[in-house]
Each structure stands twice: as C-alpha cells, then as structure tokens.
Amino acid sequence: MTRHASDGPASRLDLPAIESTVRARWVELAVPGRSMTSVAGAPEWTCWSEPPTAAGLPGVHDVPAQALRDTYLRLKRMQGYAPRGGSGVGCHGMSIEVAVERELGLPGPVEIETYGQARFNARCREFALRHSAAFSDLSTSLGCWQGEPPHATMDPGYVESVWWSLCRLYEAGLLEQDERITPYCPRCRTPLSAQDLGHPGSRRPAANTGVIVRFRLATLPDGANPRLRGADLLAWTTRPWTLAGNAAIAVHPHQSYALARRSGHDDGVIVAEARLAPMLGEDWHVATEVSGADLAGATYLPVLNLTGDTRPLPVIAGYFVGTHAGTGVMPLAPAYSDADLDAARLHGIGAPDPLGPDGRFAAEVPVIGGAFFADADQILIAALTDAGALLPPVRPADGEHACWRCGTPLLQRTTSAWYLRTSAGWPADDADWMISRTRYWGTPLPFWQCTDGHVTCAESLAQLSELAGADLTGIDPHRPQIDEVLITCPRCAGQASRVPHVLDARYDATWLPFAEQRLPEAAGSFVDNTPHNGLIIGSAGRAGGWPAAVRQIGTMVNGRSPACRVLLVDAVTDASGRAMSRGLGNVAEPLPLIERYGADVIRWFCVARQAERGMLLSEAALADIADRVFARYWLAASMLLELIGTSEDSQNARPPDADLTLMTELQTLIADVTAGFDALKPAWSAARIAEFIDVLVSGCLPAAEAERTSPEHAAAAGTMRVCLTALTRLMAPIAPFITDEVWSRLRDRGALPGQPDSVHLASWPRRTAAPADETDADDLESS
C-alpha cells in the first residue's frame, strides 16, 4: 500500500507534511514526466507568465504569476491539451547592477570603471545565478512542474535570439537612434524609459518650488505698443534650476496678455490676462492689452546671468503655451523639455545644458556652480529674491520622480538613445520605447558603427564572426568582451565599433515567449511557431505592461501578434495597502509561509484573491483558507474513507432521492468551475469549490450517522465517492498536493477502479446531460 502522511483528525491537518509525502511520491512514480507524455500529440496550448528579475530573493509578490501559470498548465493537461511554454528569469538590468553596487560598496559608474567592467559584470552574473536558483527553488516548493529549466536571459543563446529580433526591427525602420528628452538618473548615469516612471517606488513629494520670475524686456518688435518698454515678463516655473538652461520665452500667439500695474507702483508686468487675478491677486489693474503675437520678436535679459551670456534672448510664439495654469508665459529650457526642444528646433534656437553626467552644474555657472540640480532650487530662490527678480509667494509644485532602484531624483534631459518606434508599429501607443541604457550588465545592442555613421547589425555570433573575420562563436556576448570586437564596415570598408549601449532588461523579458525557438537558426519557422492558442499572465500593477509588450514585439517583429488571451495578476499588498516590491522594502518571504501553512494554501490565496483589488497578505487570511477550505475538504475525505470502510456496496448503490439534490449541485459545480477558468476568473472557480465543500460536508453527516448496514448508508457512500472524486479533480490544478494525497488514499481503498495513480493524470470532469434523477454515478466517474 502507498505510504501516506500521518492520519489524524482534520483539526490537526499538517499540510506541509502531506506535501512532503506527495512530492516524494511524484518522484517515485515519475508523475510530472508521465503527465507530459500522456498528452503527446494532443492540440497545443501555450502559457507564459511574466518572468521575475533575479535582483534579490523571491517575495510573495512573485508567487501569484507562478501559481496561476501552473494552475492553468495542470488544468489544460487534464482537459487533453499539450501545454507548451517554459518559464524564465530576468538576469540582466539595472536592478541587478544596483544590488551588486551595494554589495561591493561602489557609489556609481565612476567607481565601477575603476573596479573594472569585467570584474563587475562577473559579479552581476554570479548574483543573478544565485538568485535565479532561489526562484527555481520557490517553483519547486510551490509544486510547479517546470518541464525544461527556466530560460535565463543572460544565456548566450537567449542573447542571440534577442539580437535577431533587434535586427529585424532595425531593418524594418522600427528601431532608430535619436536625441530626445528622456528621464535620466544622475547617480546611475543613464537615461530611463517612460515605463520606469510608472513604478510604485518612482514617485515622491516635491519641495515648494513653483515661482514667478521677472524677466526685463530688452527690446520690442517693430510696431509694438511703447507702453511695454521697461516692463517685466512674468514667467512661471516649477523647476527654477532649469533657468540655467533658459534659451527663450514663449507666449501663446492668440491669447490676450495684460500689461498690469499695481497701485502706488511704477513697474509694469506682463501676464496672460486670464491669469492675472489667479496668479497676482486683486491689487493689480490692466493698463493695456496686447496679443501674444505682438510680443513675439521681443527680447529679454536673462536673470542672474545664469547662462553665462549677457546677450538678450528671444520671445517666441507657440501654440503649446497653456493659459489654464501659471502665467501664460513660459521660460524655455530646450535641454530639459520635449515641448521646449521642439520649439527651439523650429526657431533655430540652441539647447544649452550646463549639467554634467552626475547631475551637477558646471563650476563656471554663476550662483549654482557645482550644485546638484535637485538642491539648486532653494539656492536660486534665495538669489532671485535678493536680486528682486522673484515675485512672491513661492508656491507648492507637483510631486517629482525618483529612480525607483536607487532613490535619486530624476531629471528630464536631452540624451542620445535608441528608440523602438512603438508609436509607428502599434498605433495605440503615443510614445516610443527608449530601449537603450548607458550601463554595463545587459544584452549589448548588436549594432556596429563606423566613423561615417554607417550602422551594421549582427544578428548572431556566427554572423559577427563573418564580419570580424575571426571565429567568435564561443565568446561571451556581454561587455566588455563584445566591445573589443571590431568589424569592417560592409558599406565603406572602414573600421566599425559597437555602439556603447545595452538593452533595457524589460525587452529581454518581453522576448521570453519567442526565445525558445532557437533563433536565428529557426527563423524560417518563426511565424508558424508564434504562440497562437493560450494564455499570457502578467502583473496588473507593475510598470511596463508585460503582456501588452509581448503582443507589441510579436507584431512588430513578424507582423503577427501572439493570439493569446491575457490574465492580469493583482498586486500583493502589505497591511498599509502598498503593493509589495523590493524597491519599497516591504517584501514578505514566501518560503517561511509555505513551511508554516503549506504551498496549497499559498496557491489558493493567490488564485482566490484575484477578484479583489489588490491581494492583502496576512496570517489571518492564510489561516482562514487552511481552516475553511482545506480542513473541511480533509474532513469530507476522512468521512468518505470511513463510509467506504463500513459499506458493503458503496460503489454500485444508487443514491436515494435525498442525495439527488447533491448530485445536481455537483453537475452545476462542474459547469461553474469550468466556466470560471475558461473566462479567466479563477477566483470564481475557487469560490464555488469552497462553497461545495461545505455542502458536501453537510451532506455527509446524515449518512455517517445512518445504520451501517442500511441501504441508505451504502448509497450515501456511493454519492460521496462520486462527489469527492469530481471535487478532487476540480481542485487539483489549484491545490496539487492535498488533492493527490486524497486521490491516492481513495485508490488504496478501492474507491477509484480503473483510475490512474495520480489525480494529475486523470481527466477533467465533465457535466453530464442526463436529468438529475437519472444520473448514474459512473457517468461522472468515467468522464
């Protein structure tokens, strides 16, 4: 007889002990492998989940995607499909770099260069390997059957597959290098993508920096109202430090502007007429009105000589100037704003940028030379006040963004980067994806550029070998080794070197569903092998929208989006309602919870709480699941095993009329649970199962108290056997351990004749079409 965990009352249910026994039995009977071979040749069904990043030990927030993926893979095997789709772990990226910097005590890129790129990247590789193993251990602890080992994004084969996709995008004109305004982290010294700004840890309160600055008009355009002479343009800015990069002032051409004066004062100021009272109060009166077009062509004097140039700067007109807030007068800093840069390019104006790569102003900048940009506001406010160039009061500004990896304030600045033109390839997007980083540990961009600007793309190490005239198929395709490879430009025969960028690790993760195709060798069958029937599981709250990105990349690379449905996983939250993340430092470790409550409880929590807005993790929630679901289910199984042991003919006895209601409810349960999974509402399926467990336990009690030799007793045992067998199969995808233990015990008692030795080798129960009063127990048993 098969060994089982210790028998005992349901109140003393030891789920971790049961799971240890079941796990050993899976190995002994080779259940995972047999489950896969049992569906060989069946219709294919794919399932991919968003890969976690090996930037630290796994947290509970990493469990839901894994649990749901394994749940659906088990479900589809039982339904007769052949599931395909491995798992993956993100092993590249700044999160890993920042973690290694902290381990080594390196403040930033300057110190990394001193330490050595090769040594640093070797430590990043070791760090990623160490934590990838922890994620693999977590999957095993959760009972996930991974099949093949997880795909590591740092493996050479994975890197080459990504290279192949980037070459396709470049050849299609969907990937280009450009100078644009991007978020920039001065500590990490790299531009970031817009997706980084959506991370929960990227937003923080800002200091009170909204100010109105006086800019004295120097000259007026021909035909201008002479009363404007000597007036000050009042410009509103929430970032005073950008005045060091001020190149022009913009006004709206069709808005009315007021030359305003205050009683008892001779000075005149110019603001949008609609903003006079909201910004300056009721003490000001309008002396004259002009249009924005009348002001265009004037010049003004820069304040505090911050730009180092005493020449007057131009006033220009632009429709981008808003008059619903501020003063309707905008100081332009083209190096730090998209709209400002566009206007500067249109008018032939330069884009001065006195900030160094570390976010500090050059030493020669007046007043704020050497200051960090985020600290410069208060210095400037004091200096502007002393110079009489500030109109009080200083007003609150909106919050600001910080690098969610290191906490440093971000600035928007002009940088040269590589952009995936998602706005062209995916019309629903209104912004392109900045996919390059000026960092070290990531997939190197496969582009080599000569001094004439010709770009050559290498889709594989084999092709790179041909371009370089040497066998490079065995080298590590990472920095700094790959940077040492020089090629001959195919267009001009000049020497070309690799562009010094690595890839956004999010792109690595996005390529996961396609990387297993062994590209570029299998390029010919890439379109046919694109996932076409299955599921993509990703985070609903995490920045970047992984499922959407998978569809974008699939469509842009080969014109065909993976025809898969999407299941978004709600974030696991802490007691204060914040989504758990390493950046916020509020991560709960999953292994201690698994050791205490069992993997089945954790998996049930992840599935059953999907209907809620955020999954609040608490010991009370896990204890409730253990008692309300699993202890009750175990009680029903224990009662049935007792009934079978005292009934002479429990398998063949027909249920009395009193039990026909229970059988009808079972039919409804099968339909509801199946429909819930099919509709991607697994929480509904879990809720229906929990309800039926209570119904089943209540129905067992009268039978258990009936006369042992009575027909009612035997019939009740037969009804219970049918219900519990179907229930166990319905629960199996969510709770693989306890259901397999119950299944094994039922087989040992002879209650499952002809059934396989694991519930995970059994088929999914089907609802029968027979009326409730004609339902045969064997209909459900054999379906």
Side-chain angles (χ1 to χ4, degrees):
M1 181 176 291
T2 305
R3 294 175 56 192
H4 300 294
S6 302
D7 291 325
S11 60
R12 296 205 303 269
L13 178 62
D14 189 345
L15 287 171
I18 290 174
E19 291 170 6
S20 177
T21 300
V22 172
R23 191 176 284 111
R25 189 163 61 244
W26 286 348
V27 174
E28 178 187 348
L29 301 178
V31 176
R34 290 166 59 203
S35 75
M36 296 174 189
T37 57
S38 66
V39 291
E44 189 177 83
W45 187 85
T46 58
C47 185
W48 297 92
S49 61
E50 184 172 358
T53 302
L57 293 175
V60 170
H61 65 292
D62 295 307
V63 173
Q66 290 194 53
L68 281 162
R69 176 176 171 272
D70 189 65
T71 294
Y72 271 94
L73 288 174
R74 291 178 182 277
L75 168 70
K76 290 301 177 179
R77 286 193 196 102
M78 295 179 74
Q79 291 180 337
Y81 289 89
R84 178 175 73 86
S87 59
V89 180
C91 298
H92 283 148
M94 288 178 56
S95 295
I96 292 175
E97 289 192 62
V98 171
V100 172
E101 286 174 347
R102 289 169 179 163
E103 278 193 353
L104 296 175
L106 302 177
V110 172
E111 292 74 20
I112 290 174
E113 296 287 349
T114 302
Y115 183 79
Q117 280 192 42
R119 293 175 63 197
F120 180 75
N121 275 7
R123 288 295 296 265
C124 289
R125 179 186 297 277
E126 184 276 329
F127 186 94
L129 282 171
R130 186 197 328 158
H131 293 94
S132 295
F135 279 98
S136 182
D137 291 343
L138 173 61
S139 294
T140 300
S141 298
L142 288 169
C144 300
W145 292 348
Q146 300 186 58
E148 61 185 45
H151 296 282
T153 58
M154 65 182 176
D155 289 345
Y158 198 105
V159 171
E160 286 188 279
S161 181
V162 170
W163 278 6
W164 179 87
S165 71
L166 294 173
C167 288
R168 301 291 78 74
L169 292 167
Y170 180 75
E171 291 166 356
L174 296 172
L175 187 59
E176 64 181 8
Q177 189 173 19
D178 196 9
E179 284 197 355
R180 305 185 192 180
I181 303 295
T182 62
Y184 179 88
C185 177
R187 192 214 71 90
C188 299
R189 298 199 180 189
T190 183
L192 305 176
S193 65
Q195 292 92 329
D196 285 302
L197 302 185
H199 192 279
S202 71
R203 196 74 177 171
R204 71 176 201 174
N208 295 339
T209 55
V211 295
I212 300 174
V213 183
R214 291 176 176 264
F215 291 91
R216 178 60 53 89
L217 284 173
T219 63
L220 298 175
D222 292 342
N225 188 329
R227 298 182 69 183
L228 297 176
R229 188 170 290 112
D232 291 336
L233 290 163
L234 295 188
W236 166 261
T237 179
T238 58
R239 298 179 299 168
W241 64 265
T242 62
L243 295 176
N246 177 233
I249 277 179
V251 294
H252 195 289
H254 294 164
Q255 288 294 324
S256 175
Y257 285 81
L259 170 65
R261 299 188 185 279
R262 189 168 42 180
S263 300
H265 295 75
D266 294 332
D267 57 339
V269 297
I270 301 170
V271 296
E273 187 175 5
R275 301 301 300 162
L276 176 62
M279 296 301 292
L280 304 184
E282 302 297 333
D283 295 338
W284 296 78
H285 65 275
V286 177
T288 188
E289 299 176 8
V290 295
S291 70
D294 294 334
L295 292 171
T299 63
Y300 67 95
L301 300 175
V303 295
L304 300 180
N305 194 27
L306 291 174
T307 61
D309 190 346
T310 58
R311 291 177 298 179
L313 299 175
V315 178
I316 64 173
Y319 292 100
F320 60 90
V321 178
T323 56
H324 61 283
T327 61
V329 178
M330 287 180 58
L332 303 186
Y336 311 122
S337 164
D338 283 309
D340 296 9
L341 182 60
D342 290 342
R345 287 171 173 170
L346 179 64
H347 290 272
I349 298 170
D353 184 3
L355 283 177
D358 59 354
R360 293 186 176 277
F361 286 98
E364 61 270 19
V365 176
V367 184
I368 53 175
F372 187 58
F373 83 97
D375 301 327
D377 281 352
Q378 298 306 317
I379 300 173
L380 276 177
I381 289 173
L384 290 168
T385 301
D386 291 343
L390 198 68
L391 196 69
V394 175
R395 307 186 183 205
D398 294 333
E400 62 186 4
H401 286 99
C403 177
W404 62 268
R405 299 176 181 93
C406 70
T408 304
L410 298 180
L411 60 92
Q412 299 279 337
R413 75 183 311 175
T414 306
T415 55
S416 177
W418 288 79
Y419 289 86
L420 183 60
R421 297 180 57 216
T422 48
S423 58
W426 197 263
D429 268 14
D430 59 359
D432 294 334
W433 182 357
M434 199 283 293
I435 65 169
S436 63
R437 300 286 184 272
T438 52
R439 292 291 301 189
Y440 307 99
W441 180 239
T443 295
L445 294 188
F447 304 128
W448 274 255
Q449 192 170 30
C450 68
T451 53
D452 288 339
H454 303 144
V455 174
T456 302
C457 185
E459 67 176 28
S460 67
L461 289 174
Q463 186 181 47
L464 183 60
S465 298
E466 295 176 3
L467 293 168
D471 184 5
L472 302 173
T473 55
I475 72 166
D476 177 10
H478 286 94
R479 301 190 72 188
Q481 294 89 335
I482 200 69
D483 295 341
E484 299 168 0
V485 177
L486 303 176
I487 69 171
T488 299
C489 176
R491 294 178 60 183
C492 67
Q495 190 179 75
S497 57
R498 197 188 72 82
V499 298
H501 297 89
V502 296
L503 185 65
D504 182 355
R506 286 193 182 93
Y507 188 100
D508 280 346
T510 298
W511 192 245
L512 176 64
F514 313 102
E516 69 169 2
Q517 298 185 39
R518 306 297 178 189
L519 299 165
E521 292 86 352
S525 60
F526 178 71
V527 174
D528 293 336
N529 287 333
T530 297
H532 61 278
N533 176 30
L535 186 62
I536 298 175
I537 302 174
S539 171
R542 189 170 298 171
W546 184 79
V550 169
R551 288 182 162 181
Q552 283 181 332
I553 299 303
T555 301
M556 295 176 73
V557 170
N558 69 358
R560 176 177 173 180
S561 172
C564 297
R565 302 170 70 195
V566 173
L567 175 59
L568 296 179
V569 181
D570 286 332
V572 179
T573 60
D574 60 18
S576 63
R578 299 183 306 166
M580 290 188 178
S581 73
R582 296 185 189 90
L584 294 178
N586 61 341
V587 174
E589 295 183 30
L591 291 180
L593 295 174
I594 292 174
E595 292 170 357
R596 190 176 311 140
Y597 293 99
D600 282 344
V601 170
I602 307 300
R603 290 173 63 114
W604 195 278
F605 169 83
C606 293
V607 173
R609 296 302 175 95
Q610 281 301 303
E612 300 179 9
R613 190 70 175 176
M615 296 185 286
L616 175 60
L617 179 69
S618 67
E619 298 266 349
L622 299 179
D624 176 67
I625 291 171
D627 292 339
R628 182 175 50 84
V629 179
F630 292 105
R632 300 280 286 173
Y633 169 69
W634 190 255
L635 175 61
S638 301
M639 294 172 69
L640 174 59
L641 291 171
E642 183 179 352
L643 286 171
I644 292 173
T646 59
S647 174
E648 296 181 357
D649 195 20
S650 63
Q651 293 187 29
N652 299 318
R654 294 184 61 82
D657 292 342
D659 287 337
L660 290 178
T661 300
L662 184 60
M663 297 296 287
T664 300
E665 291 194 20
L666 176 62
Q667 300 276 342
T668 303
L669 173 72
I670 294 171
D672 287 350
V673 172
T674 304
F677 278 123
D678 289 347
L680 302 186
K681 296 181 179 180
W684 164 251
S685 297
R688 288 291 290 116
I689 290 172
E691 292 172 1
F692 187 79
I693 289 173
D694 286 338
V695 172
L696 187 59
V697 171
S698 300
C700 287
L701 291 176
E705 296 171 354
E707 185 67 30
R708 301 289 183 177
T709 59
S710 67
E712 291 78 9
H713 184 86
T719 302
M720 280 288 296
R721 176 178 60 82
V722 172
C723 292
L724 187 65
T725 301
L727 174 65
T728 298
R729 283 186 283 176
L730 294 172
M731 287 181 66
I734 308 176
F737 291 105
I738 193 172
T739 53
D740 214 25
E741 177 69 6
V742 168
W743 186 269
S744 180
R745 294 189 180 204
L746 290 173
R747 285 188 81 252
D748 285 353
R749 293 292 184 92
L752 301 176
Q755 290 293 329
D757 53 11
S758 171
V759 69
H760 304 296
L761 301 176
S763 60
W764 187 251
R766 296 191 303 271
R767 184 181 183 184
T768 63
D773 59 351
E774 297 178 7
T775 300
D776 193 311
D778 289 336
D779 289 339
L780 284 173
E781 190 64 30
S782 61
S783 53

